[in-house]
Amino acid sequence: MNNLKTKTRLTYIDIARGIAILLVVIGHINQFYRNNLGISNPQILSFIYTFHIPLFFIISGMLFSEKSFKDVSFTKFLLKKIKTLIVPYLFLDITGGLFNVAVYSDLNLINIKNVVINTLTLHCNVGANWFISALFIEEIVLYFFMKYYMSIYKYAVWIPFLLINLFYPFSHWINIAVRGVIAFTFILLGYYLKEFFKSDLNKRWYMILISLVITYMVSNFNGQIDVWGSTICNPFLCVLGGLAGSYAVIGISKLITSKLLVFIGQNTMTVMGTHMLLIFFI
């Protein structure tokens, strides 16, 4: 009975993930048309980007329980994350890079070597795979944060997020670090506010509508944020938009039943690692 309740409770999480990854795909299709054909829908991009990536990190924080770190050694935790995140990242990014080389270039030893180097140095061969590596790094950081938590942390941990705009323009490695700060911020918000998101209050349509209106207003005032590009514009609006949009999607996910969305949500990493290849190829 407990297993059944757990399975039922997590179904809406899979649906929320499914919605989020579909929004990622829509956003990248929109970007493709803008970059290659000059056709742009800036309001759609701004609205989607306000919350679709923050939603993924918030969900990760919601699922990060004390059992994940309290009585678990770092070695055991690390091996689990390598299995669930690094192995898929290596497979998806290397195979994606080899696909691009085979289709658009020459499949020779030098190009294969470059594909592997790009993957290992986080110069992702498939752009969207940055998310998987960022999630791995930030869950490691979160492990130590929670394992050796001190009350002073809750006052100081937000400072890097508020100062992100000082690091623009940025190098590759600074960019990775800044993405990490953004990811960690939303993961931590998901962890601290998990009961807020799990509460059935967000199932009420008026709460969903209010949340969507707030998200739309934030997207207009704050412009298009871009976690990959480490662009958050106003930090406070970035957080507000991410929380409001995520709150609405999670609420909607509790109200709908869809085996397709559950399936997509359970395979978000596969979609993340392949959809850009398909968009460009098609």
Side-chain angles (χ1 to χ4, degrees):
M1 179 64 72
N2 288 334
N3 290 336
L4 179 61
K5 287 181 179 178
T6 301
K7 185 176 180 181
T8 302
R9 186 173 67 248
L10 295 180
T11 297
Y12 75 86
I13 294 292
D14 288 328
I15 292 175
R17 282 175 170 159
I19 294 172
I21 195 63
L22 290 178
L23 292 175
V24 169
V25 174
I26 292 171
H28 285 153
I29 291 174
N30 204 313
Q31 281 188 324
F32 176 83
Y33 276 100
R34 180 188 65 187
N35 297 338
N36 294 277
L37 301 177
I39 302 172
S40 178
N41 295 286
Q43 284 190 319
I44 293 177
L45 278 178
S46 292
F47 180 75
I48 290 174
Y49 276 59
T50 298
F51 66 91
H52 70 340
I53 295 299
L55 172 58
F56 277 116
F57 291 125
I58 285 171
I59 289 174
S60 296
M62 290 172 61
L63 298 177
F64 200 92
S65 66
E66 289 189 4
K67 294 180 181 179
S68 303
F69 59 87
K70 190 173 183 180
D71 298 317
V72 178
S73 69
F74 177 65
T75 301
K76 186 175 181 180
F77 181 85
L78 179 63
L79 290 175
K80 179 181 178 181
K81 294 305 172 182
I82 289 174
K83 179 181 178 181
T84 57
L85 293 173
I86 293 300
V87 171
Y89 166 73
L90 293 174
F91 174 77
L92 289 168
D93 202 62
I94 290 174
T95 54
L98 293 177
F99 174 84
N100 281 334
V101 168
V103 174
Y104 307 111
S105 184
D106 297 319
L107 194 62
N108 55 48
L109 188 60
I110 294 176
N111 286 335
I112 293 174
K113 176 184 175 183
N114 289 335
V115 165
V116 175
I117 290 174
N118 285 340
T119 298
L120 296 179
T121 59
L122 304 184
H123 289 81
C124 303
N125 297 292
V126 181
N129 287 337
W130 72 267
F131 171 83
I132 305 174
S133 60
L135 186 58
F136 170 78
I137 294 170
E138 292 324 302
E139 291 209 359
I140 298 299
V141 174
L142 188 62
Y143 172 89
F144 285 105
F145 179 89
M146 293 298 180
K147 189 85 170 181
Y148 305 104
Y149 177 79
M150 294 173 59
S151 58
I152 189 64
Y153 291 171
K154 63 184 178 184
Y155 301 109
V157 72
W158 315 106
I159 294 174
F161 182 77
L162 298 175
L163 299 178
I164 280 177
N165 291 324
L166 298 179
F167 294 95
Y168 186 88
F170 36 79
S171 69
H172 171 66
W173 293 108
I174 291 178
N175 191 18
I176 289 175
V178 173
R179 289 177 199 159
V181 170
I182 300 170
F184 181 72
T185 300
F186 281 106
I187 286 176
L188 207 57
L189 286 169
Y191 177 79
Y192 282 135
L193 299 175
K194 64 173 65 178
E195 297 306 320
F196 171 72
F197 284 104
K198 290 179 179 179
S199 169
D200 285 344
L201 181 61
N202 59 359
K203 289 173 60 175
R204 300 176 184 178
W205 282 108
Y206 72 87
M207 292 300 297
I208 293 173
L209 181 60
I210 291 171
S211 300
L212 290 175
V213 169
I214 292 173
T215 307
Y216 178 75
M217 292 174 64
V218 167
S219 69
N220 279 315
F221 283 113
N222 201 35
Q224 183 181 331
I225 72 165
D226 184 359
V227 179
W228 175 84
S230 302
T231 303
I232 64 169
C233 302
N234 184 296
F236 297 101
L237 289 178
C238 178
V239 166
L240 177 61
L243 290 176
S246 299
Y247 191 72
V249 171
I250 291 172
I252 292 170
S253 301
K254 293 176 181 178
L255 292 172
I256 61 178
T257 302
S258 171
K259 291 183 179 179
L260 178 59
L261 283 176
V262 170
F263 175 77
I264 293 172
Q266 292 173 345
N267 293 276
T268 50
M269 272 196 289
T270 302
V271 179
M272 190 75 78
T274 57
H275 75 276
M276 293 185 74
L277 297 173
L278 293 174
I279 290 170
F280 193 78
F281 183 74
I282 292 171

